[in-house]
Amino acid sequence: MHLPNKKLLLGAAISLATLQAQAVPFMPTDARAMGMGGTGVSSAEVASTVQFNPALLSLTRDDDHFGLKIPQISIVVADDDGFIDEVEDFDEESELDNSGLSNVDLLSNVLDESTGPLGLEKLNQALTDLETAVLPAQYEAAETKLEESVNYLDTRLFSKNPNIDPELVVYSEAVANDLDDLNNKALRMNFGANMALAIPSKKFSLALSAGGQGTFSGRVLVSSDDSDILRRYPDATSKYLTAVANLQSTLKDFNDGVGGVSAQDVADAEEAVSDFAYGGPNRPADEGDTIIFENGDLAEGADDGSLNSQVEMVGVAIADLGLTASRVFNIKGHDIAFGVTPKLQKVTVFDYLYDLDGEDENGNEVEFDGDTITENSEEYTEINVDLGAAYQFGAEKQFQAGLVVKNLLGKEFESPRYVESNGTAGTIVEVSPQVRAGISHKTSWTKVAFDLDLMENDPVAFEDPTQYASIGAELNVWRTLQLRAGYRANLAGSDQDVVTAGLGISPLAVHLDIGLMANASDPEKEAGIALEFGVEF
């Protein structure tokens, strides 16, 4: 038996996964917003307004006449379930001994020694020699070889001390547990890139924007068949060696002329070895659910390392080209800004499922490359629209409220695997309407903002749904240095709150911003960074 290649297991860690009817999150690419907890529906400025609320483009400062953001980039990696830690366990030093080796290495060593020239190879040759022996000396030599191999395997696979578990049992269970711990744990990555050109005005504002947002998730689906083979292999081998030991003892008694031991007894013992089958605890191979031995040999999958576990990957990338128009309308004495962004969207859905043993249906090694992405992706081109409204109030109009509906025209996009399976497997990605409201307060030096998703958003794949409540603050020193901080809570998930911080440098009209975010309880669960460069005057 061969263990799953460690590189395959570790390679699965960087592979990305799905199920049906998923949605795209509301996570604009904006360094200033990331530093302020993700707020922006009432607080975004100039060229950033197109991502959060097109109406804000008409409510910028009186001295804002031009804005350019190129580029804006961001990346967020989330590991809520500890997927990376579980994968690293395969390569970490085992706690079972002081050798410095991992559980996989320890089990591999025991199996290599047990199946090598002194173990099963010698045992199988001894059985062949017994079948072909003609002279008494040949029988004696075969018996000696069989006894040596059984004794060797007995010391490697089974402990003479009933209070100490044998190495094969201990290491098999440890690796099986590591494999089970990896099951169904998801890893998620979001990335974005954007650029925008904006010309704000109270009368009529315009902006042109182009960008893309991608979200990928992945998981390993560990088959119970794979972990069961690891756990049952010691039991199967023990029963097989018991049958071999019985043959050895029967042959010795027969050759020594022990009364009551006949040639038929020897034949029966030989048949028990040649027909030996194991399909699980107290189950014959043809009825069991963990087939390891069949007709005296290791069954397919138990001897060639074939795995039933799979890696599942799903992703959606949306490229937008939008034209934003905004202006202020006086409604019953109140100046209310409205904005609209019609946009051309290119939606790419990626959906891939492959076996962990790294082989395709033709037995060829699976290689993840550009062709893999192309063959398992489907592209769609659609029209969509964002709508926004904003209102300033207070004695000095220091308060500002905003409301936005993004992707008003909800649509569904089917993955290639969903189409090929006639809807029995694969992914449907929904670009659904997203509604967010916000309120902010500003002074010449400060701004504080609060945003709230008014509806729950489905996940892209295996993570929890999202409904964000965010708060952020900015200290603007002479409009040259900006210090930012924020907090974002997911009202639809547990232990997914993040803290954020940001820094802006804006000498003259040039702006350089960086935003950082991390899970509030454990930065390893989620972390992100955003960078942007722009010009505003």
Side-chain angles (χ1 to χ4, degrees), residues 306-376:
S306 296
L307 297 173
N308 294 317
S309 297
Q310 296 176 308
V311 174
E312 200 175 14
M313 307 176 352
V314 69
V316 55
I318 301 178
D320 291 332
L321 178 62
L323 178 63
T324 298
S326 174
R327 68 162 295 175
V328 175
F329 295 87
N330 187 278
I331 302 176
K332 294 184 178 181
H334 297 279
D335 288 337
I336 302 176
F338 294 94
V340 58
T341 303
K343 53 190 180 181
L344 179 68
Q345 288 186 325
K346 181 179 179 181
V347 180
T348 303
V349 181
F350 174 69
D351 183 6
Y352 189 38
L353 180 71
Y354 71 95
D355 293 336
L356 192 58
D357 63 8
E359 293 184 354
D360 60 21
E361 63 273 12
N362 299 318
N364 300 317
E365 184 176 352
V366 171
E367 294 184 4
F368 190 84
D369 52 24
D371 290 339
T372 305
I373 296 176
T374 301
E375 293 169 0
N376 294 277

Side-chain angles (χ1 to χ4, degrees), residues 1-4 6 9 89-115 152 156-157 165-176 178 230 233-234:
M1 175 185 177
H2 302 287
L3 283 178
K6 283 193 298 179
L9 294 170
D89 284 346
F90 282 96
D91 229 19
E92 287 185 351
E93 180 178 338
S94 174
E95 298 179 355
L96 300 176
D97 69 3
N98 298 319
S99 66
L101 299 176
S102 67
N103 291 332
V104 172
D105 290 331
L106 290 170
L107 181 54
S108 294
N109 290 344
V110 171
L111 291 174
D112 288 344
E113 293 173 10
S114 301
T115 58
Y152 175 82
R156 298 301 299 161
L157 305 180
D165 290 329
E167 290 180 335
L168 181 59
V169 173
V170 172
Y171 300 150
S172 293
E173 184 68 24
V175 174
D178 287 343
L230 288 171
Y233 191 84

